Amino acid sequence: MSALILALIAGAVVGLALGALGGGGSVLAVPALIYLLGFTPAAATTAGLIIVTATSLTALYAHARTGNVRWKAGALFAAAGLLPAAAAGAAAARLPQPVLTAAFAAIAALAAVRMLRPNRTDTGPATGQARLARAAGTGAGLGALTGLLGVGGGFLAVPALVTVLAFEMQAAVGTSLLVISANSLASLATRGATTAGVDWAVIGPFTGAAILGAWDGKRLAAKVTGTLLQRTFAMVLLAVAAFMLIDALT
């Protein structure tokens, strides 16, 4: 199968996940770039950020049109992650490839676990000040994750927005896309030199398919239960995580 067809298929799946779930798709993008399209882990994380940024902005626009984005709270949440995203993005190129692969496998497994138990909440009642501190800490962690591994972190942002800021699910999904977009842009700003080696002949079609998939994902979310979507993607992520971990250790 040609690289172009593989890029189109993988991009469509990534966009579908981002549009429907507000996260998870970016965790599939990097493994697809490595194992299907021959990218190195470092190049894949940079390319993943490009794809995630473009796709998240598109999905954000779609959710904003239906009023599902809480701009003020989302901007504050994202602001806490901007500096960590930039710093982690600068450090990512210095990590050994097996370490980067193993770290990504761990994050993919964590994403799968969170999707398999989407309604679980570990936070109790909290004051406004405590919620603000939790939001800042979570936002900083998401920023570092985005910068280091080229993932948006929506699979962590959505439950955090639900449990920490008491958002309803639709608002959490829409607002998470604002957080993802901001963190991805901050990380890309520190990787400007590394984007020169990106294969745009592959990334262009991948990104285009992901953007179209995001629109389809938004429509799919209105027709299929969120639980079914999350469990399906979670099982895929578990398989990806296991494969990447084995690859990193051999």
Side-chain angles (χ1 to χ4, degrees):
M1 191 178 295
S2 71
L4 175 59
I5 295 175
L6 288 173
L8 290 172
I9 294 172
V13 174
V14 167
L16 194 68
L18 277 170
L21 304 175
S26 55
V27 188
L28 295 175
V30 173
L33 290 165
I34 294 172
Y35 297 109
L36 295 180
L37 298 167
F39 282 57
T40 65
T45 56
T46 299
L49 280 170
I50 296 171
I51 295 164
V52 168
T53 300
T55 309
S56 295
L57 287 171
T58 302
L60 174 63
Y61 174 72
H63 280 270
R65 289 182 64 189
T66 55
N68 289 331
V69 181
R70 304 293 182 263
W71 294 99
K72 183 178 179 180
L76 292 173
F77 195 91
L82 294 181
L83 286 178
R94 299 181 176 88
L95 286 177
Q97 304 294 325
V99 172
L100 205 57
T101 302
F104 198 97
I107 292 301
L110 176 61
V113 170
R114 294 306 297 260
M115 287 184 177
L116 284 172
R117 46 176 200 172
N119 295 322
R120 183 185 177 93
T121 59
D122 298 319
T123 57
T127 65
Q129 189 173 14
R131 282 188 174 185
L132 184 62
R134 289 177 184 172
T138 305
L142 289 173
L145 184 69
T146 301
L148 187 66
L149 299 178
V151 299
F155 61 89
L156 295 176
V158 171
L161 289 168
V162 171
T163 59
V164 177
L165 298 182
F167 281 19
E168 65 274 19
M169 189 62 183
Q170 285 297 323
V173 169
T175 306
S176 76
L177 291 164
L178 173 62
V179 178
I180 292 169
S181 299
N183 287 341
S184 298
L185 285 169
S187 182
L188 271 177
T190 65
R191 296 189 183 214
T194 63
T195 58
V198 170
D199 187 352
W200 291 102
V202 172
I203 298 306
F206 196 122
T207 305
I211 289 173
L212 292 176
W215 286 97
D216 289 335
K218 179 67 171 60
R219 289 193 290 267
L220 181 64
K223 298 178 181 179
V224 182
T225 64
T227 300
L228 176 59
L229 286 172
Q230 288 181 322
R231 287 178 179 173
T232 301
F233 278 106
M235 297 308 295
V236 174
L237 285 178
L238 281 176
V240 168
F243 182 83
M244 293 188 76
L245 187 59
I246 292 171
D247 181 59
L249 296 176
T250 56

